[in-house]
Amino acid sequence: MFEAHFQTFEDPEGGVALTARLAAFREELVRRQLTGFVIPRADRQQNEYVPPSEERLAWLTGFTGSAGLAVVLATEAAVFVDGRYTLQAAQQVDVRAWSIASLADPPPESWLAEHLTADDRLGYDPWLHTSAAVERLATACTKAGAELVPVESNPVDSIWTDRPAPPLGPVTIHGATFAGEAEADKLARIRTEMTKLGVDALVLSDSHAVAWTFNIRGADVSHTPLPLSYAVVPKDGRPTIFIDTRKLSNSARDHLERNAEVREPDELTDALTQTAQSGAAIALDKATAADALSRLITSAGGKPVRGNDPVALLKAVKNQTEIEGARAAHRRDAVALARFLAWIDREAPKGTLTEIDAVEALETFRRETGALKDVSFPTISGTGPNGAIVHYRVTRMSNRRIVPGDLLLIDSGGQYEDGTTDVTRTIAIGTPTDEMRDRFTRVLRGHIAIARAMFPDGTTGAQLDTLARQFLWQAGIDFDHGTGHGVGSYLSVHEGPARISKLGTTPLKRGMILSNEPGYYKRDGFGIRIENLVLVTAAEIAHAEKPMNGFETLTLAPIDRRLIDHRISKKELMWLNDYHARVRREVRPHLDEATKLWLDAATEPLP
């Protein structure tokens, strides 16, 4: 019925192939005189989405989540995942060969300290771990009397005989119409931050930072228009970009060479060595810079200065052009969402649709806007118990029919040149149970509490996080993920450094775009999440004694009124009715007559 263009539904490999790979990997470790090895879900720049050539964790274990780590020892092996992926890992990983453990509490280092023995040699690839991660591994090894051993080449690659080639996505120019600021001006602001740090040079190890600084985009990974690359910015003189020049058209190369030297990626180590030999202090991003870079600078006589990448915060605060682009992207996306939600309401109660049908339909409606470049992440379409898997990704094997009595959780987004979207709606198929309505209303009240929040300038996401959880906590329940993440401008749908979570320590600044997405998940039952993107703005409060901020909601899509029970308060109801009136006002003129009628009913004020 609908043709998907960006997302596939193939099942991950399993069974005999994975068993053979683990055995072959252990043989390779013996050959290298290693008794264990650490395999992170990472590429050289710690990207969330990595090219197929870097999917070592998935190839070896079968686990396809976006965050995880594996440890293989001589007789034991474990896969470590966070709370989003506990159920998924249990379905994908052979639990006879691998144990599944926590990525955070307790961390993998605790497992290592218990399972390593004296004289063990634990290997790691210094290009796939940050220095902080390596230090934690080293501490665990020291406790056990074991040795941590950096390797020159990754043993997974030695047995991965059909490993895909690195990507060569073409680089495009992200012009002033969308970027809103010239590269030279961005470089001047970056150098101001470098002066504050007291460094001689800055390594941009995060490809998102390179893309933002030099106003380029690419196609090297799925769902994020990322050109895999590095850059080195000296305090004086021209910066250098390290990128495979086969990705560059003549116009893209000319664009880059206006502000930087362009060199091949394998020249990075020589260039850094040369800079470090003078004793230079070189800033590295502690979140994305590989331990190999820190080791290289130190061995050449330089001083690695590990800290927060100053570009991350500059990039997170959107300029007026990017803000207007985000608003336009969300209005465009809202038309596709309304068409999809009307279609679901019409077709799903018949009991013939599947989760994959929903994914393909929503992508088709977005493609029909004429502006979609990609989906911003693989659409999460989970009905019934699949909805309780926080980052569920439907495959042909797991694909479930959408039937009356179920909830459908659909979390999706689009990449448009003027903005990136991310929205989740939970839809009642048929008549919901009282439990479903209770849980949905508690999630909605938390969502509204964030949307209506007013807070002093300098407030962090951690200080707001409890607002989203308070009504769930009153029932003795919670959700095992953050309330909100930052969102890029035609870049990553998950952008730091700001977030709304228990760990969100970065102050929220005007111009940041974040998600507002509390949820509830009943194992083997159903999942609920309500997500809008919000923009941090100035809040006008009479007689305020300090600058105050609030949120402007960017997402424009109806929230399912059938799932709301009587516990919603008068102020919450006013917010919801005002929001639905705005959705109707901004989206209705762009819809066909049938969808207009559906939208009128879906946004009718609740009494």
Side-chain angles (χ1 to χ4, degrees):
M1 180 167 40
F2 293 101
E3 182 182 359
H5 292 258
F6 296 120
Q7 189 167 339
T8 60
F9 308 99
E10 302 312 312
D11 293 281
E13 290 183 272
V16 175
L18 294 181
T19 303
R21 288 172 191 175
L22 180 57
F25 186 66
R26 283 190 165 121
E27 290 176 7
E28 179 66 15
L29 296 185
V30 170
R31 192 183 69 79
R32 296 186 181 215
Q33 298 181 317
L34 297 171
T35 52
F37 200 78
V38 183
I39 307 102
R41 200 278 182 178
D43 62 6
R44 291 187 166 203
Q45 296 164 306
Q46 303 295 313
N47 285 308
E48 177 180 10
Y49 296 113
V50 301
S53 57
E54 303 298 312
E55 290 279 15
R56 295 177 182 87
L57 182 65
W59 183 83
L60 186 62
T61 69
F63 172 66
T64 60
S66 64
L69 178 141
V71 177
V72 176
L73 301 179
T75 59
E76 295 183 81
V79 176
F80 301 85
V81 299
D82 64 27
R84 298 171 297 168
Y85 293 116
T86 304
L87 297 180
Q88 178 179 329
Q91 293 175 357
Q92 292 184 328
V93 173
D94 182 356
V95 294
R96 295 167 298 180
W98 302 85
S99 59
I100 298 173
S102 168
L103 190 61
D105 188 20
E109 292 79 23
S110 298
W111 187 92
L112 280 169
E114 292 177 8
H115 290 81
L116 289 172
T117 59
D119 301 324
D120 273 345
R121 302 183 78 245
L122 181 70
Y124 77 100
D125 185 338
W127 280 103
L128 301 183
H129 299 261
T130 65
S131 294
V134 171
E135 288 166 3
R136 293 192 295 270
L137 292 174
T139 299
C141 287
T142 299
K143 286 181 180 178
E147 180 185 0
L148 186 64
V149 183
V151 299
E152 290 291 328
S153 64
N154 197 301
V156 174
D157 300 348
S158 298
I159 62 168
W160 190 358
T161 54
D162 58 348
R163 182 182 172 212
L168 289 172
V171 169
T172 57
I173 300 167
H174 194 61
T177 304
F178 301 117
E181 185 179 10
E183 307 86 73
D185 295 332
K186 291 181 176 182
L187 285 166
R189 289 206 285 147
I190 291 169
R191 287 194 163 112
T192 297
E193 298 303 314
M194 291 172 60
T195 300
K196 295 176 186 176
L197 294 173
V199 296
D200 301 300
L202 167 67
V203 177
L204 300 183
S205 53
D206 182 354
S207 294
H208 301 84
V210 179
W212 178 85
T213 301
F214 296 98
N215 288 333
I216 57 172
R217 298 295 187 265
D220 283 335
V221 302
S222 301
H223 314 307
T224 303
L226 203 60
L228 293 178
S229 51
Y230 288 89
V232 175
V233 181
K235 67 177 181 181
D236 301 305
R238 282 165 66 84
T240 304
I241 295 172
F242 300 88
I243 189 168
D244 192 320
T245 54
R246 290 175 292 178
K247 303 174 187 177
L248 302 178
S249 64
N250 288 339
S251 59
R253 183 159 194 149
D254 289 345
H255 169 83
L256 290 175
E257 288 182 340
R258 286 206 300 266
N259 293 282
E261 305 297 326
V262 178
R263 297 170 69 175
E264 295 292 335
D266 58 9
E267 297 181 70
L268 172 64
T269 53
D270 287 344
L272 264 186
T273 299
Q274 187 174 347
T275 301
Q277 283 173 342
S278 63
I282 302 174
L284 295 174
D285 177 19
K286 65 182 181 182
T288 64
D291 182 58
L293 295 175
S294 185
R295 293 163 57 87
L296 183 154
I297 292 167
T298 301
S299 64
K303 179 187 176 185
V305 180
R306 290 167 17 211
N308 296 323
D309 179 2
V311 175
L313 190 56
L314 298 176
K315 173 166 57 70
V317 178
K318 310 299 185 278
N319 61 45
Q320 198 57 42
T321 298
E322 292 171 320
I323 290 169
E324 290 303 326
R327 290 175 176 141
H330 280 85
R331 285 192 295 270
R332 182 186 312 117
D333 206 52
V335 174
L337 287 165
R339 294 179 65 201
F340 168 77
L341 292 169
W343 175 82
I344 279 286
D345 260 10
R346 184 175 68 248
E347 299 296 330
K350 300 174 184 177
T352 59
L353 295 181
T354 67
E355 294 166 337
I356 288 179
D357 291 332
V359 174
E360 293 181 335
L362 181 49
E363 184 175 316
T364 298
F365 288 129
R366 281 195 167 107
R367 289 183 67 250
E368 288 175 354
T369 65
L372 184 71
K373 295 297 185 181
D374 198 344
V375 293
S376 53
F377 56 95
T379 299
I380 298 167
S381 173
T383 185
N386 289 345
I389 302 172
V390 178
H391 272 209
Y392 171 68
R393 183 182 176 194
V394 57
T395 68
R396 301 196 188 282
M397 187 179 295
S398 71
N399 188 27
R400 193 173 188 273
R401 196 169 296 281
I402 303 168
V403 297
D406 275 351
L407 298 181
L408 172 64
L409 186 157
I410 189 144
D411 185 350
S412 68
Q415 289 283 14
Y416 306 96
E417 281 189 283
D418 50 2
T420 300
T421 70
D422 183 3
V423 51
T424 309
R425 287 297 180 265
T426 305
I427 306 157
I429 311 300
T431 304
T433 65
D434 288 344
E435 181 188 31
M436 290 172 177
R437 296 178 77 235
D438 172 82
R439 296 325 195 220
F440 183 91
T441 303
R442 292 179 188 277
V443 171
L444 175 60
R445 295 182 74 189
H447 176 95
I448 293 173
I450 293 290
R452 296 180 63 238
M454 294 185 182
F455 46 93
D457 198 33
T459 298
T460 67
Q463 291 172 289
L464 298 180
D465 185 68
T466 54
L467 296 178
R469 301 176 189 272
Q470 57 183 312
F471 304 105
L472 293 165
W473 286 353
Q474 289 170 7
I477 52 180
D478 200 358
F479 54 94
D480 203 10
H481 57 75
T483 297
H485 55 81
V487 178
S489 182
Y490 192 43
L491 271 176
S492 177
V493 75
H494 298 132
E495 177 179 86
R499 51 182 168 168
I500 304 172
S501 82
K502 299 170 186 177
L503 304 176
T505 58
T506 300
L508 305 186
K509 293 180 176 289
R510 296 169 189 173
M512 287 180 170
I513 295 174
L514 301 106
S515 66
N516 170 12
E517 52 178 312
Y520 170 75
Y521 311 91
K522 182 178 181 181
R523 186 168 186 148
D524 299 325
F526 56 85
I528 293 167
R529 188 160 63 250
I530 304 169
E531 178 186 19
N532 287 341
L533 296 193
V534 295
L535 170 71
V536 182
T537 61
E540 299 300 327
I541 301 176
H543 312 300
E545 296 181 358
K546 55 179 64 179
M548 299 291 290
N549 294 336
F551 292 119
E552 172 193 331
T553 296
L554 297 172
T555 307
L556 298 167
I559 294 168
D560 197 334
R561 298 156 68 257
R562 297 164 297 192
L563 282 162
I564 302 171
D565 70 19
H566 65 276
R567 270 187 291 266
I568 192 167
S569 74
K570 188 173 182 180
K571 287 184 178 179
E572 291 162 348
L573 187 60
M574 286 177 60
W575 180 92
L576 182 68
N577 286 339
D578 288 347
Y579 174 71
H580 276 160
R582 182 180 160 219
V583 171
R584 192 165 56 250
R585 184 171 63 251
E586 296 196 32
V587 179
R588 193 180 192 278
H590 307 286
L591 299 175
D592 59 88
E593 289 304 317
T595 309
K596 283 179 180 177
L597 291 175
W598 173 87
L599 185 70
D600 289 344
T603 59
E604 185 178 348
L606 284 169

